Amino acid sequence: MNKSRIWQLSTYLSLASVSLLLACSQATRPATPAAQNADWPSYGLNLQGQRFSPLAQINQQSIGQLTSAWTVDTGIKATFQATPIVVNGVMYVSLPFNHVLALDAATGKQLWKYTHDRKADWPMCCGPANRGVAVSEGKVFIGTVDARLIALDAASGKKLWDIDVAANQVNTEQQNTLNSSDPNKTRKVTGGTGVGIAMAPVVYKHKVIIGITGVGYGLHIDNPTSDAPLGAVIGVTGRYGRPGFLAAFDVNDGRQVWQFDTIPAKAWEGNFTTRTADGSVFDRDVAAEKNAVKDYPDAARFGGGSAWSTPAIDTGTDTLYFGTGNPSPQMNDVSRPGDNLYTVSLVALDTETGRYKWHYQQVPHDLWGYDLASPPVLFQYQHQGKAIAAVGQASKTGWFYIHDRSNGQFLAKSDAFVPQLNLFKKPGTEGTVIYPGILGGANWSPVSVDERQHKIFVAAMHSPIKYTVHETEAANGQKPMRYAASEPTEDARWGLLSAIDSQSGKIAWQHKTEQPLVGGVLSTAGGLLFCGEGNGRLTAYASDTGKALWHYQSDYGVNAPPITYQIAGEQYIAVVSGGNSLFGFKQGDRILTFKLAKK
């Protein structure tokens, strides 16, 4: 890649555009004058997913006066990842296990609570966390860990409709297929292929859009210690999983309008790609893969491709953009020759029909779990002297990718924002240490784009992973079974908060944290960048220099994206604090809000 490639973003987010979004939000109580109020109406603030707020009352000069406004303990101590949604002074928060709270956003007073009745014994692939709700047309929408889409009345919390989006499909990998000498055979399993919904929905033109997860996972072995990251993830050969999908449902009755399957019905083998447009090279035995196609004619039926993060939407062209997960079986490629389309890809669809427009596969025939987990973000980009409507995505591989929104053409990628070793190297029987690995890089954490400063802010991690191929003993005349495992090493791991210069693609500044960063960031017109850590620390940085200006210490991990809003002329910062069990961060149940102390 030519690292001198010029990156240029032109400013187009303004107070006027935010006001337009707010005007379209559904009122749930009388509002004070618009100039005094500013909501957080959607997962990424706006449909572009930029997470940049034009509010500036809290700024580099006033940040020292930031103090607690109110806190709420929800009573559900578990992994907490939600983005609070604020519409007309009401905050809607999804709790672990898909309960929902409605609070007065100025005081924290509870207005109502919805308690979710989860299906008994439904397997959760990745724990009870949910990343938020959508609020529109007088309704609150939530996708659940048991693969349902629910609509609540925004004023009362009463359930309006409840649909099953995955037809009760459950698949569970078998731990007993592991080698008898493998210590993971007897360890506690915390997850497998249990279809669910993790993403926050998005509503557009009377349709609520959501996708399913858990379709490409292997066995999840429990953390070796309480403060350690997830233990082994194991991909077992077998007919496990199913295709993922993204679908749109009518906001009034939940009727499905369209569905896009992340695995195509035909030709999921693709072109057997060994080099992608961004310059990544993959060591593949193409001849052997092509020969194996005849042995696995129905592999696509179990193809995987979870949809992890809320799509970004281009309202000018009615196009949505979302990322897909790994192929199934995870890391174990014996039964899935070919590129395994459309897994580990950025995909563009027509919002009205779900029609496929284009895709870009970052990692063909993925062996490492390099899902596109972080949500896409839309912005304007200067390329070879022309202004181009672009879509960007922070990857697990450690690069920020930029594409032409109209056709998916790869335009550029940033310098690596995390260390890289043995990237795309095939795992072997002796074990191969790779970073970034299955955890990332940039995991599900959403980025923020400040077009005024030409900066893209990314929360990421350095967490070395050892990949090993195993083979069971031959028994009872059966062939040995091959499986692959990824496990954290004993090497040091840490977090990296990066500001990427959008003109050059280089790292403008970078801040190293004690623990891996997962949760996301918020930038504001006050020149501030907010980011939480697993040790409970919420920090405000000067977004132009990276200097830490303020911090707050929570009792629990702060592993969710912060937001900001304004009520009656007072600006607030809010974030949920509940840790993350997959990373060993202390779990809790707290909603935190801050505002400037009155003089």
Side-chain angles (χ1 to χ4, degrees):
M1 178 188 70
N2 181 359
K3 293 186 178 180
S4 64
R5 186 191 303 267
I6 301 299
W7 288 28
Q8 178 72 35
L9 298 171
S10 59
T11 302
Y12 73 107
L13 179 63
S14 64
L15 279 167
S17 64
V18 172
S19 297
L20 179 60
L21 280 172
L22 301 182
C24 296
S25 299
Q26 173 68 33
T28 57
R29 71 177 193 181
T32 54
Q36 297 291 301
N37 286 354
D39 290 349
W40 189 282
S42 188
Y43 177 73
L45 175 59
N46 50 30
L47 294 177
Q48 294 96 329
Q50 292 185 344
R51 288 185 177 266
F52 172 83
S53 170
L55 296 178
Q57 182 183 98
I58 301 170
N59 53 52
Q60 292 186 13
Q61 290 70 45
S62 64
I63 187 66
Q65 303 167 38
L66 195 63
T67 188
S68 177
W70 54 263
T71 64
V72 167
D73 290 346
T74 69
I76 309 293
K77 291 189 174 182
T79 299
F80 207 173
Q81 298 179 348
T83 291
I85 298 300
V86 178
V87 175
N88 291 318
V90 178
M91 178 184 289
Y92 303 90
V93 186
S94 63
L95 310 183
F97 301 102
N98 306 120
H99 312 308
V100 181
L101 279 181
L103 308 169
D104 184 309
T107 66
K109 178 184 177 181
Q110 182 174 311
L111 303 177
W112 54 256
K113 180 178 181 180
Y114 165 76
T115 301
H116 180 56
D117 183 17
R118 183 165 55 95
K119 295 176 185 176
D121 302 321
W122 187 269
M124 297 183 295
C125 87
C126 313
N130 176 274
R131 292 175 190 156
V133 300
V135 180
S136 184
E137 301 187 34
K139 301 179 184 67
V140 177
F141 303 95
I142 184 169
T144 71
V145 293
D146 49 351
R148 288 147 67 185
L149 178 61
I150 294 172
L152 309 174
D153 179 81
S156 67
K158 178 183 177 181
K159 184 159 63 175
L160 301 176
W161 50 259
D162 179 346
I163 61 170
D164 187 336
V165 302
N168 287 310
Q169 292 194 21
V170 179
N171 295 281
T172 305
E173 289 86 348
Q174 300 299 311
Q175 195 171 13
N176 59 16
T177 60
L178 304 187
N179 195 315
S180 59
S181 63
D182 190 333
N184 292 313
K185 189 178 182 70
T186 57
R187 289 178 179 161
K188 180 182 177 183
V189 173
T190 60
T193 297
V195 177
I197 298 172
M199 72 165 65
V202 63
V203 178
Y204 182 64
K205 290 190 174 180
H206 313 297
K207 293 180 289 298
V208 54
I209 299 167
I210 200 80
I212 62 170
T213 60
V215 298
Y217 262 85
L219 293 166
H220 284 183
I221 306 300
D222 200 11
N223 307 41
T225 61
S226 62
D227 61 347
L230 176 70
V233 176
I234 299 171
V236 180
T237 299
R239 298 162 68 86
Y240 305 113
R242 54 156 289 173
F245 66 77
L246 192 79
F249 302 84
D250 186 278
V251 296
N252 292 314
D253 56 14
R255 172 184 55 85
Q256 188 180 92
V257 179
W258 56 255
Q259 176 175 314
F260 173 81
D261 290 338
T262 57
I263 305 299
K266 296 181 180 179
W268 92 307
E269 295 86 3
N271 296 318
F272 295 85
T273 304
T274 59
R275 179 186 291 271
T276 54
D278 61 88
S280 298
V281 178
F282 303 91
D283 178 18
R284 297 173 62 180
D285 188 339
V286 171
E289 285 187 46
K290 288 183 175 180
N291 187 56
V293 170
K294 66 181 185 301
D295 298 326
Y296 303 99
D298 63 347
R301 287 180 52 200
F302 313 96
S306 293
W308 285 108
S309 294
T310 304
I313 296 177
D314 183 339
T315 59
T317 63
D318 287 340
T319 306
L320 68 79
Y321 306 85
F322 77 106
T324 63
N326 56 266
S328 180
Q330 184 169 13
M331 300 176 298
N332 189 353
D333 67 340
V334 171
S335 61
R336 51 174 176 85
D339 294 344
N340 311 143
L341 303 178
Y342 302 109
T343 64
V344 196
S345 297
L346 183 63
V347 181
L349 306 178
D350 182 278
T351 62
E352 303 311 287
T353 63
R355 178 181 61 84
Y356 166 90
K357 289 191 173 183
W358 58 259
H359 81 279
Y360 182 86
Q361 191 171 38
Q362 288 182 9
V363 183
H365 195 72
D366 174 58
L367 297 172
W368 307 274
Y370 282 141
D371 313 60
L372 270 67
S374 180
V377 60
L378 308 184
F379 49 84
Q380 296 296 312
Y381 171 62
Q382 289 291 328
H383 179 65
Q384 297 179 352
K386 296 181 180 180
I388 293 179
V391 53
Q393 197 270 333
S395 70
K396 278 191 176 182
T397 60
W399 291 299
F400 185 85
Y401 292 78
I402 288 187
H403 301 268
D404 186 322
R405 267 187 244 172
S406 66
N407 56 20
Q409 178 187 354
F410 169 76
L411 300 176
K413 68 183 181 186
S414 71
D415 286 354
F417 50 77
V418 292
Q420 295 172 325
L421 176 71
N422 291 330
L423 196 63
F424 308 133
K425 184 173 182 178
K426 284 186 176 180
T429 56
E430 299 300 316
T432 304
V433 175
I434 295 173
Y435 48 83
I438 191 170
L439 299 177
N443 203 287
W444 66 269
S445 306
V447 305
S448 180
V449 173
D450 183 343
E451 293 189 291
R452 308 168 317 144
Q453 294 189 47
H454 309 293
K455 286 187 173 66
I456 301 158
F457 302 104
V458 181
M461 67 188 78
H462 170 66
S463 187
I465 298 292
K466 184 178 181 180
Y467 290 81
T468 308
V469 174
H470 300 269
E471 196 169 82
T472 61
E473 302 91 347
N476 300 324
Q478 295 183 345
K479 293 181 180 180
M481 179 175 287
R482 180 184 183 273
Y483 63 97
S486 66
E487 300 173 273
T489 71
E490 295 182 0
D491 299 296
R493 56 194 184 99
W494 58 78
L496 289 161
L497 179 63
S498 302
I500 299 173
D501 187 309
S502 59
Q503 293 181 320
S504 65
K506 297 185 179 300
I507 307 301
W509 58 258
Q510 192 168 67
H511 182 81
K512 183 178 178 180
T513 61
E514 292 181 358
Q515 297 172 315
L517 288 178
V518 61
V521 293
L522 160 72
S523 64
T524 74
L528 298 174
L529 177 70
F530 291 86
C531 182
E533 300 177 47
N535 57 14
R537 189 180 179 97
L538 174 67
T539 304
Y541 301 88
S543 58
D544 53 348
T545 65
K547 180 181 179 182
L549 302 177
W550 172 92
H551 81 273
Y552 175 87
Q553 184 62 50
S554 175
D555 295 329
Y556 315 114
V558 181
N559 303 116
I563 69 162
T564 187
Y565 58 94
Q566 187 164 291
I567 297 176
E570 288 189 292
Q571 184 184 353
Y572 294 77
I573 304 293
V575 69
V576 303
S577 175
N580 191 307
S581 65
L582 293 180
F583 290 85
F585 299 146
K586 187 177 179 180
Q587 297 177 86
D589 64 342
R590 193 159 294 164
I591 302 170
L592 305 171
T593 65
F594 307 89
K595 66 179 181 179
L596 297 179
K598 292 184 178 180
K599 296 181 180 179

